[in-house]
Every structure is written in structure tokens, then in C-alpha cells.
Amino acid sequence: MVDSGLLAGAVISGVLIGIFYALVASGFSMIWAAMKMVNVSHAALMVLAAYLSMAFVRATGLDVFATLALMAPAMFLFGGLMYKFVLSHSYRSEDFETVSLVSTFGLAIVIENALLATWGPTQRSLPSVYGGDVTFAGLTVGRLPLISGIIALVATGILYYLIYQTGLGRAVRAAWQDETLAMLHGVNPDRVRFIVFGLATALAGIAGVLLPAMRTINPALHWEYIVIVFIIVIVGGVGSIVGTLVTGLTLGVIEEVGPLFISSSWVPVVLYTILLVFLLAKPDGIFEGVA
Amino acid sequence: MSVADAALGWLDNTDNRYIGALAVVFALALPVLGLGSYYMQVFINIFLYIALVSSWNLIGYTGYINFGQAAFYGLGAYVLGYGVVYLGLPIPVAVVLGGIFAAALGFALGTITLRLRGHYFSIASLMLLFIVTVLITNISDVIPAAQMEIWLPSVDLSGRMFNTVFYYAFLGLAVFMLLFSIWLENTKFGYGLKAIKENEDIAMSLGVPNSKLKTWALTASAFFAGIIGSVHAQFFQYIDASVYFAVTLTFIIVFMGFVGSMGEWYGPLVGVFLFVPVDEALTYYVSPEFGRILYGLLFVIIILAIPQGLGRYIHDWIDEAGDVNTSAQEAAIDSTD
């Protein structure tokens, strides 16, 4: 049997990583639900933010929180502009779902190679002031994952608030459900898409700032995360913040607890099998999107 | 439609001028005598890509974009590697097995995802590539003797002879795939595929067995990609996930196929000739990453501005130019306004 302390530690790690996954997935999910776009470049934007924030910290010596305050609005703008100048054009096509998916794939390649050209393929990491462990209730947690988890949770909470408690959120949800009807109520779908894409990219940016402190990064990392994010959204349900959170947590826990029971190389197989089952049986996911 | 009708069909077609050109190129390819080894390798690459993108194009006829073609290609290579190195299979058997395994994977992917809408298929095909990569990377957990990297035993041929053999092998594959595509376009199967591309719902209501056609197209696409992979493995002699399952590879296949025009037999030709020379030049003079940034941007621009692909764009332009009556007709119409 597995040592219960080890198990508890793994579960906690899994939960914290899971919250991070949910953070990355929530932006992706939002874009898919609100804009019917599968944004393959979402994780690439996160990695871009990771590299930029690393360079920023190296240059200025400022800490994670200051970087967040800068990165989030910067990524919002970057994402919004990326939508405005490039992706918005995909909506002119009848088959915009495929067109947008394919164009975001192209953008992901561009971003990855731009990072490769600038910083090279080697792994990079950022030694952090927030290293070390924190202990409470007999459990030891890395301080950094804990902080990341809290930040991720706060960000998700803010997103939830924005979508469900503000006028802007109401407009987004209206466009979500029925664009024509929303337009009749004075909602500008292009503006909504701009904001949604910007917000989602800002979330990816926040995740990106947290990323180098959690692990070493390299330009090709985004493919790993886009798979995770895709699994979360398919299984959890597109557009469901609750679904994203629950599925993200579950995934994180499976990832951390799995290796205690089966060889760690089989864990991805388990995850892919879950994805396969859902694609076959319930591609809409467990939870309903925004109602 | 009988084979004879199909043959007559494409001979009467205005595309026969392209076929004529193909024959000329084929003839020109024969005097390999003077070709330096660098250029031979470039041409091998060109023929390889023509064949590979043509195989991708088989599902492209339906309008579905497959982001995981490298998975089938790589699987063929690995099957050949394992077959020859660990099982001691004769090479032709291993090559065919490579195609069969890849076809099985294609069939599985098709059965699972082709019932869903097009963009689900695209992203699932990308996931497939990652899944296959992970599985192969961990293969030693399942089959203890198997490795992720395979080196093929060297062949007793001079360097030049070796290159020449594979030059013709890939030329043969490329020509075969092109002719196969031309033939397919004029069969009932091919018409069905094109109907799906036009409008899937209408095709279904007209009695086209969509799912069956799509699945078989994907299976065929995977089969050929597997064969091509098996052959290439013998040429490259080193099999590894980073070579055969590279995302960059799967991207350039889509790039060449899409930019060249999906669903047209000449698409791969246009795409490959647009890509390879420029890629060689950029890689040499600037850097590989720069080239990919360029292709990524070009890819995005093309899909947003010329979604039918440059191949069809040029083809239509040539067709119109050759149409003597167009300007006369336009003048006639204008004069009656």
C-alpha cells in the first residue's frame, strides 16, 4: 500500500497543479464557447508570456506580483490586437470554425519559432525568491506551487465574477447564446470577441508568469499544454467554468497521484483514454456550458 | 464508372497538359548522371514531400484538414525499423506492414472522429500525433527490447548508388501518388469525396455515404503515408520520434497541401515547389526558425485571403486566360447593360 503521507502530498500537489491547469484551460474554454474558435495558439501565448516575464524579471529584478500586474494588461492588449488584425477575418468565412482553428495553428507555429529564434531551444528556468516549503496541518507544500495555486484561484474567481456579475459579462453571455438576438439588444459581437480574446489571453499571460517558477520552460512546451487544455475542455464541457475547474483538478491529481500506483509513463495513456472515451460518447463534456 | 471510362475521362480532360508536363519532367529526371549529391538529396526531399502531401490530400478531398499525417508516416517508419531490426523481416514485408499498421491507425482515427464536425477532426488528428509520440517514447515499458531510437544496419552500396536508388524510389512514389489522385478524382468514390467538400449535409441527403467515404479516404491516406515512411526509414537509416513525429513536419505537410490547394491533384506539386526551394534558401542564408515564422504567417494569410489555396487560384487564372471567349462574352454582356 502507498504511504498515506506520500499520498496526501501527491493529492495536494495535484490540486495545486490542477488549479493551474484550470487557469490555462479557462481562457481556452471561454474563447471556444463565446467565439466558437478553437484557439490552438492559447498555450503558445502562455509560453510567450513566460519568456517575456522571465526577461523582464532578469532585467528589472522585480518580483512575480509586479510582473503579473504588468503582464496581464499587456497580454490583454496583445490578444485583443491579435484578434483585431488577424483572427477577426476568419469570421467572414462560412467555415469559420475550421478557418480559425487552422489560423491559430499557424500563429502558434509563428510564436514558437519567434521564441526559438530569440531565446534558443534550451530549457530555461527562473530561480525564485519564493522557494522552499510551507508546512501546516502536518502537510508540507512547496511555497511556490501554493502561491501559484492561490493566484490561479483568484484569477479564476475574478473571471467568474466578470462573466456572471457584470454588465460586460452579461453581454458576453448574451452573444454566447444567441448572437443575432444579442445584436438586437445592442451588443456588438466584434467588440465582445475582442474583449473575450483579450481576457482569455490575459489569463494565459498570468499562467505564463507563474510557469517559469514551476518548471523549466522551452519554446516547444505549448504543445504539451494545449493537449492538457483540450482534454480538460472536452471532458469538462466547453464554456463551463465549474467544469474546467473540476476537470483541471482531477487531471492534476491523476497526474500526481498516478505515478504512485502505475508507472509514470502510463499516466498520459490514462488521460488520452479518457479523452477518447469522451470524444466517442460525450463530446459535449460533463458540465453544461453557460446557461 | 469502369476503369476504361475513368481513363478516357482524364485523357479528355484539359488537365492532360499538366500530365504531359509530368511526363516531360519524368523524362528529364532520367539523366541523373550529372546530378551532384546535394541536389539529388534536394530532389529526394521534393519527391518525398510530393508523395507525402498527396497522401495527405486524399482526406483533403473531403475538405477535412488532417494535422496528424506525420503520425501515419512515422508509424510506417517505426514498423519497418522494428520489423527489420528486431524481427528480421524481409524489407518488402516490413514496408507493407508499415502501410497496414498506419492504415489501421487511420481507420481507428476515422471511426472515432469523422462523425464529428470538421474542426473536431482537425484537432483530434493533432492530438493523435502527440498520443502516438508518447506511446512510442514509452514503448520500452511494453516491449522491453524495443527502443525509441532505431538504427538500421548499413547497406552495402556506394554513397552515390544509394542516393540514386532512393532518388528513383521516391520519384516513383511521387508519380504514383499523383497518378493515383488523378485516377481517384474521376471515380464515384472521388466524386463522393468532392461532394462532401462542397456541402456535407446536401451530400448526405443525396445519398452519399459520408462516414464510410471519409473513413476509407483517411485509411487510404494513412496507408500511403505509412508506406512512404517505411521507405524513407530505409533511406534515412535512423528512426526517432523527433524526426518522424515532429510537429514541424506535420505542419509543413499541411502548409504545402493547403497552400497548394486541398482537393486538387496538382495541389501537392504547387505546394512542394513553393516550399522546398525557399526553405532550402532560408535555412542556408538565414535560419530554419525564420523560415518557419514566414511559413506560419504565410499560412495564416493564405487561409484568410485565398482559402481555396494558391494552386486553384493559379489554375483558375490559367483556365480563364486560355478561355478565348471570356473577354468577348464579357464585352457582349457589358454592351447590353
Side-chain angles (χ1 to χ4, degrees):
Chain A
M1 254 329 300
V2 178
D3 171 56
S4 63
L6 214 61
L7 185 64
V11 171
I12 304 270
S13 284
V15 165
L16 292 175
I17 289 180
I19 296 177
F20 181 81
Y21 285 158
L23 174 66
V24 185
S26 56
F28 180 83
S29 179
M30 224 170 79
I31 294 176
W32 192 336
M35 298 166 62
K36 300 214 180 14
M37 177 191 298
V38 179
N39 180 15
V40 182
S41 66
H42 192 72
L45 288 164
M46 173 186 75
V47 176
L48 172 69
Y51 270 94
L52 289 177
S53 64
M54 250 177 60
F56 181 75
V57 168
R58 287 232 166 85
T60 65
L62 288 174
D63 75 354
V64 165
F65 300 103
T67 320
L68 272 175
L70 194 73
M71 268 281 125
M75 291 304 284
F76 176 90
L77 218 68
F78 188 81
L81 292 176
M82 200 165 104
Y83 166 77
K84 188 171 163 65
F85 290 117
V86 183
L87 297 170
S88 57
H89 298 289
S90 59
Y91 287 92
R92 285 194 266 136
S93 143
E94 224 181 279
D95 194 9
F96 64 86
E97 281 138 345
T98 305
V99 170
S100 58
L101 184 147
V102 177
S103 21
T104 54
F105 183 81
L107 288 172
I109 297 273
V110 172
I111 293 173
E112 177 182 339
N113 281 284
L115 291 174
L116 263 175
T118 317
W119 280 290
T122 51
Q123 306 273 27
R124 300 198 164 237
S125 72
L126 195 64
S128 175
V129 226
Y130 297 103
D133 295 330
V134 166
T135 317
F136 59 82
L139 298 162
T140 313
V141 185
R143 183 182 275 133
L144 212 44
L146 188 62
I147 295 180
S148 296
I150 295 175
I151 292 177
L153 212 55
V154 168
T156 312
I158 293 178
L159 175 70
Y160 192 88
Y161 172 79
L162 276 174
I163 297 287
Y164 285 100
Q165 306 289 350
T166 66
L168 168 69
R170 244 200 320 277
V172 170
R173 278 184 290 139
W176 212 298
Q177 288 172 47
D178 191 329
E179 198 167 279
T180 316
L181 217 52
M183 275 168 76
L184 287 174
H185 280 83
V187 172
N188 177 348
D190 188 63
R191 173 103 61 86
V192 167
R193 287 196 285 257
F194 179 98
I195 292 173
V196 167
F197 202 87
L199 259 177
T201 309
L203 287 170
I206 293 173
V209 171
L210 299 173
L211 192 65
M214 289 169 65
R215 55 169 300 163
T216 60
I217 63 175
N218 67 78
L221 196 56
H222 64 110
W223 295 119
E224 215 181 284
Y225 282 88
I226 206 74
V227 173
I228 293 172
V229 153
F230 184 69
I231 295 178
I232 291 177
V233 164
I234 289 285
V235 174
V238 180
S240 163
I241 297 183
V242 169
T244 305
L245 196 60
V246 168
T247 315
L249 283 171
T250 312
L251 222 96
V253 170
I254 293 179
E255 257 195 21
E256 290 294 303
V257 172
L260 294 178
F261 297 97
I262 59 178
S263 157
S264 62
S265 28
W266 286 109
V267 173
V269 179
V270 171
L271 297 176
Y272 292 138
T273 312
I274 296 175
L275 172 68
L276 231 78
V277 168
F278 270 85
L279 274 178
L280 269 171
K282 204 174 184 343
D284 291 327
I286 301 176
F287 293 88
E288 285 271 324
V290 181
Chain B
M1 188 187 255
S2 75
V3 175
D5 285 332
L8 284 174
W10 64 255
L11 276 175
D12 283 343
N13 202 293
T14 49
D15 281 347
N16 63 4
R17 37 187 145 109
Y18 297 116
I19 296 169
L22 212 73
V24 171
V25 171
F26 183 91
L28 283 175
L30 288 174
V32 174
L33 308 160
L35 213 57
S37 78
Y38 170 73
Y39 283 103
M40 238 201 275
Q41 303 240 349
V42 173
F43 272 103
I44 288 178
N45 247 12
I46 288 177
F47 299 144
L48 165 72
Y49 287 144
I50 291 176
L52 202 48
V53 177
S54 288
S55 73
W56 174 90
N57 207 17
L58 291 179
I59 189 68
Y61 276 107
T62 62
Y64 280 66
I65 302 178
N66 179 5
F67 279 108
Q69 193 70 353
F72 305 132
Y73 173 70
L75 186 61
Y78 266 99
V79 167
L80 180 112
Y82 289 138
V84 166
V85 173
Y86 297 124
L87 299 177
L89 296 176
I91 289 189
V93 174
V95 169
V96 172
L97 265 181
I100 292 177
F101 270 77
L105 186 65
F107 186 80
L109 176 69
T111 311
I112 296 173
T113 61
L114 286 172
R115 310 172 301 138
L116 309 169
R117 282 285 108 164
H119 61 287
Y120 272 100
F121 167 75
S122 292
I123 194 147
S125 62
L126 182 64
M127 297 292 139
L128 179 72
L129 180 62
F130 296 134
I131 292 173
V132 171
T133 307
V134 165
L135 289 177
I136 291 279
T137 309
N138 293 312
I139 191 103
S140 43
D141 285 344
V142 185
I143 307 171
Q147 297 296 322
M148 194 184 95
E149 292 177 308
I150 308 174
W151 280 268
L152 285 180
S154 16
V155 184
D156 194 16
L157 280 178
S158 80
R160 178 147 193 99
M161 206 49 220
F162 185 79
N163 279 348
T164 310
V165 167
F166 280 100
Y167 176 95
Y168 283 115
F170 284 109
L171 174 61
L173 281 173
V175 170
F176 172 78
M177 287 308 302
L178 288 172
L179 292 177
F180 182 82
S181 301
I182 296 173
W183 171 78
L184 189 70
E185 276 192 27
N186 291 300
T187 61
K188 192 167 165 196
F189 188 82
Y191 291 147
L193 295 180
K194 290 195 202 175
I196 293 173
K197 186 168 199 262
E198 279 296 310
N199 188 316
E200 225 178 312
D201 296 314
I202 293 183
M204 191 159 20
S205 66
L206 288 174
V208 176
N210 284 6
S211 286
K212 224 167 59 152
L213 287 186
K214 286 190 286 188
T215 308
W216 282 111
L218 185 62
T219 308
S221 171
F223 175 76
F224 290 121
I227 300 273
I228 296 168
S230 303
V231 174
H232 187 264
Q234 298 168 56
F235 171 67
F236 204 65
Q237 298 198 301
Y238 171 67
I239 305 169
D240 181 53
S242 62
V243 173
Y244 285 96
F245 292 132
V247 178
T248 304
L249 175 64
T250 212
F251 168 67
I252 62 177
I253 293 173
V254 178
F255 176 83
M256 289 187 274
F258 187 86
V259 169
S261 281
M262 275 184 6
E264 300 287 340
W265 68 268
Y266 53 80
L269 276 176
V270 174
V272 170
F273 280 109
L274 247 143
F275 173 80
V276 174
V278 179
D279 186 50
E280 289 289 318
L282 283 177
T283 304
Y284 183 71
Y285 288 110
V286 189
S287 74
E289 289 86 31
F290 182 77
R292 292 183 205 134
I293 294 176
L294 208 71
Y295 295 129
L297 289 173
L298 197 64
F299 189 59
V300 176
I301 292 173
I302 297 271
I303 193 174
L304 293 174
I306 314 178
Q308 74 272 33
L310 283 177
R312 188 156 327 129
Y313 189 76
I314 297 172
H315 180 265
D316 289 345
W317 185 81
I318 296 177
D319 249 357
E320 252 180 87
D323 195 349
V324 172
N325 291 322
T326 310
S327 40
Q329 284 172 342
E330 274 175 44
I333 292 168
D334 284 343
S335 70
T336 58
D337 274 342

